[in-house]
Protein backbone atom coordinates (compact mmCIF):
# COMPACT_ATOMS: atom_id res chain seq x y z
CA UNK A 1 0.00 0.00 0.00
CA UNK A 2 1.04 3.56 -0.57
CA UNK A 3 1.71 5.57 2.54
CA UNK A 4 2.88 8.79 0.89
CA UNK A 5 -0.68 10.15 0.82
CA UNK A 6 -1.06 9.89 4.63
CA UNK A 7 0.13 13.44 5.11
CA UNK A 8 3.04 15.83 5.06
CA UNK A 9 6.47 14.17 5.37
CA UNK A 10 5.13 10.62 4.91
CA UNK A 11 7.25 8.26 2.82
CA UNK A 12 6.56 4.93 1.19
CA UNK A 13 8.34 3.21 4.07
CA UNK A 14 6.34 1.46 6.77
CA UNK A 15 6.28 -1.76 8.75
CA UNK A 16 3.08 -3.53 9.69
CA UNK A 17 2.64 -5.99 12.52
CA UNK A 18 -0.50 -7.95 13.23
CA UNK A 19 -0.81 -8.58 16.96
CA UNK A 20 -3.17 -11.33 18.15
CA UNK A 21 -4.41 -12.05 21.68
CA UNK A 22 -5.19 -15.52 23.03
CA UNK A 23 -8.91 -14.89 22.41
CA UNK A 24 -8.02 -14.24 18.73
CA UNK A 25 -8.68 -10.48 18.87
CA UNK A 26 -6.27 -8.95 16.37
CA UNK A 27 -4.90 -5.46 15.93
CA UNK A 28 -2.67 -4.31 13.10
CA UNK A 29 -0.17 -1.62 14.00
CA UNK A 30 1.85 0.20 11.37
CA UNK A 31 5.03 2.16 11.94
CA UNK A 32 5.41 4.94 9.36
CA UNK A 33 8.78 6.52 8.61
CA UNK A 34 8.61 10.24 7.80
CA UNK A 35 11.10 12.30 5.80
CA UNK A 36 11.77 14.54 8.81
CA UNK A 37 13.02 11.54 10.82
CA UNK A 38 9.88 11.03 12.86
CA UNK A 39 8.08 7.70 13.17
CA UNK A 40 4.35 7.43 13.78
CA UNK A 41 2.35 4.44 14.90
CA UNK A 42 -0.93 3.95 13.10
CA UNK A 43 -3.89 2.00 14.42
CA UNK A 44 -7.49 1.67 13.37
CA UNK A 45 -10.17 1.80 16.04
CA UNK A 46 -13.83 1.55 15.02
CA UNK A 47 -12.91 2.40 11.43
CA UNK A 48 -11.10 5.55 12.57
CA UNK A 49 -7.40 6.01 11.92
CA UNK A 50 -5.07 7.30 14.63
CA UNK A 51 -1.46 8.35 14.04
CA UNK A 52 0.57 8.59 17.23
CA UNK A 53 4.23 9.63 17.56
CA UNK A 54 6.14 6.45 18.39
CA UNK A 55 8.22 8.17 21.08
CA UNK A 56 4.99 8.91 22.95
CA UNK A 57 4.14 5.21 22.90
CA UNK A 58 7.67 4.12 23.84
CA UNK A 59 7.82 6.46 26.84
CA UNK A 60 4.36 5.30 27.98
CA UNK A 61 5.39 1.65 27.80
CA UNK A 62 8.66 1.85 29.72
CA UNK A 63 9.95 4.37 32.22
CA UNK A 64 13.39 5.06 30.76
CA UNK A 65 15.67 7.88 29.71
CA UNK A 66 16.40 9.05 26.19
CA UNK A 67 19.91 7.64 26.58
CA UNK A 68 18.52 4.21 27.43
CA UNK A 69 16.24 4.32 24.38
CA UNK A 70 19.21 5.31 22.21
CA UNK A 71 21.34 2.46 23.58
CA UNK A 72 18.57 -0.15 23.14
CA UNK A 73 17.90 0.81 19.52
CA UNK A 74 21.50 1.37 18.43
CA UNK A 75 22.74 -1.73 20.29
CA UNK A 76 26.41 -0.83 20.13
CA UNK A 77 26.41 0.23 16.46
CA UNK A 78 27.54 3.74 17.38
CA UNK A 79 29.87 3.80 14.38
CA UNK A 80 26.86 3.50 12.06
CA UNK A 81 26.01 7.18 11.64
CA UNK A 82 22.82 6.45 9.67
CA UNK A 83 21.26 4.57 12.57
CA UNK A 84 22.56 7.01 15.19
CA UNK A 85 21.28 10.02 13.24
CA UNK A 86 17.80 8.48 12.86
CA UNK A 87 17.56 7.57 16.53
CA UNK A 88 18.68 11.06 17.54
CA UNK A 89 15.94 12.52 15.31
CA UNK A 90 13.44 10.19 16.92
CA UNK A 91 14.49 11.30 20.39
CA UNK A 92 14.43 14.96 19.34
CA UNK A 93 10.87 14.45 18.09
CA UNK A 94 9.97 13.23 21.56
CA UNK A 95 11.14 16.53 23.04
CA UNK A 96 7.87 18.07 21.78
CA UNK A 97 6.33 16.55 24.88
CA UNK A 98 8.68 18.44 27.20
CA UNK A 99 6.07 18.74 29.96
CA UNK A 100 5.94 14.96 30.32
CA UNK A 101 8.65 13.52 32.52
CA UNK A 102 7.86 9.88 33.36
CA UNK A 103 5.81 6.87 32.28
CA UNK A 104 2.80 8.03 34.31
CA UNK A 105 2.82 11.45 32.61
CA UNK A 106 2.89 9.82 29.17
CA UNK A 107 0.11 7.38 30.06
CA UNK A 108 -1.98 10.27 31.39
CA UNK A 109 -1.39 12.26 28.20
CA UNK A 110 -2.52 9.33 26.04
CA UNK A 111 -5.44 8.52 28.33
CA UNK A 112 -6.67 12.10 28.24
CA UNK A 113 -6.72 12.04 24.44
CA UNK A 114 -8.41 8.63 24.10
CA UNK A 115 -10.88 8.76 27.01
CA UNK A 116 -13.87 9.76 24.85
CA UNK A 117 -12.84 7.51 21.96
CA UNK A 118 -12.67 4.46 24.24
CA UNK A 119 -15.90 5.45 26.02
CA UNK A 120 -14.56 4.65 29.49
CA UNK A 121 -16.10 5.89 32.69
CA UNK A 122 -15.07 8.99 34.58
CA UNK A 123 -14.09 6.82 37.56
CA UNK A 124 -10.78 5.94 35.88
CA UNK A 125 -7.80 8.30 35.89
CA UNK A 126 -6.22 9.41 32.62
CA UNK A 127 -3.21 7.26 33.49
CA UNK A 128 -5.43 4.18 33.85
CA UNK A 129 -7.16 4.96 30.54
CA UNK A 130 -3.75 5.28 28.86
CA UNK A 131 -2.70 1.89 30.24
CA UNK A 132 -5.96 0.35 28.98
CA UNK A 133 -5.41 1.89 25.56
CA UNK A 134 -1.88 0.47 25.29
CA UNK A 135 -2.89 -2.95 26.61
CA UNK A 136 -6.05 -3.34 24.52
CA UNK A 137 -5.07 -1.62 21.26
CA UNK A 138 -1.29 -1.43 20.90
CA UNK A 139 0.38 -4.38 22.64
CA UNK A 140 -2.56 -6.80 22.48
CA UNK A 141 -0.23 -9.76 21.87
CA UNK A 142 1.36 -9.47 25.32
CA UNK A 143 -0.72 -11.38 27.86
CA UNK A 144 0.32 -9.35 30.90
CA UNK A 145 0.44 -5.96 29.17
CA UNK A 146 4.22 -5.66 29.61
Amino acid sequence: PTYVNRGRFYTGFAIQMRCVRDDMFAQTVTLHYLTNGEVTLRILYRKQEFLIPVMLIMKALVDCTDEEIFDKIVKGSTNNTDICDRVELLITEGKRFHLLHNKGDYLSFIGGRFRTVLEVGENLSDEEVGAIFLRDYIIVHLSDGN
Side-chain angles (χ1 to χ4, degrees):
T2 179
Y3 301 114
V4 179
N5 298 330
R6 289 266 176 251
R8 189 172 175 213
F9 301 121
Y10 278 79
T11 67
F13 301 106
I15 297 171
Q16 286 187 329
M17 179 173 72
R18 187 148 177 88
C19 306
V20 182
R21 278 194 315 231
D22 291 337
D23 65 0
M24 303 312 281
F25 172 82
Q27 175 73 4
T28 300
V29 295
T30 307
L31 293 175
H32 292 278
Y33 179 71
L34 283 62
T35 58
N36 63 359
E38 293 183 23
V39 177
T40 59
L41 183 137
R42 174 188 172 266
I43 65 161
L44 286 175
Y45 177 73
R46 295 186 179 173
K47 298 182 181 180
Q48 191 172 2
E49 178 181 69
F50 294 96
L51 297 164
I52 307 162
V54 77
M55 279 302 289
L56 187 64
I57 299 295
M58 289 170 57
K59 292 279 196 151
L61 287 171
V62 181
D63 209 358
C64 61
T65 66
D66 292 342
E67 184 178 350
E68 290 170 319
I69 290 173
F70 182 87
D71 291 342
K72 289 285 185 184
I73 295 173
V74 172
K75 292 188 176 183
S77 297
T78 53
N79 58 343
N80 186 334
T81 57
D82 288 337
I83 292 174
C84 291
D85 289 348
R86 298 302 172 265
V87 175
E88 286 176 9
L89 283 171
L90 193 64
I91 290 170
T92 301
E93 174 232 335
K95 301 288 186 202
R96 287 188 300 167
F97 307 104
H98 63 277
L99 297 177
L100 308 176
H101 303 290
N102 57 45
K103 179 180 177 178
D105 291 345
Y106 284 89
L107 285 170
S108 294
F109 183 83
I110 292 169
R113 272 46 181 190
F114 283 93
R115 175 179 294 282
T116 55
V117 174
L118 298 179
E119 299 174 351
V120 296
E122 292 296 322
N123 59 326
L124 297 175
S125 69
D126 284 346
E127 186 173 344
E128 291 170 315
V129 174
I132 290 168
F133 175 74
L134 292 180
R135 182 193 69 218
D136 293 352
Y137 302 101
I138 303 294
I139 54 170
V140 302
H141 59 290
L142 300 179
S143 58
D144 65 355
N146 290 312

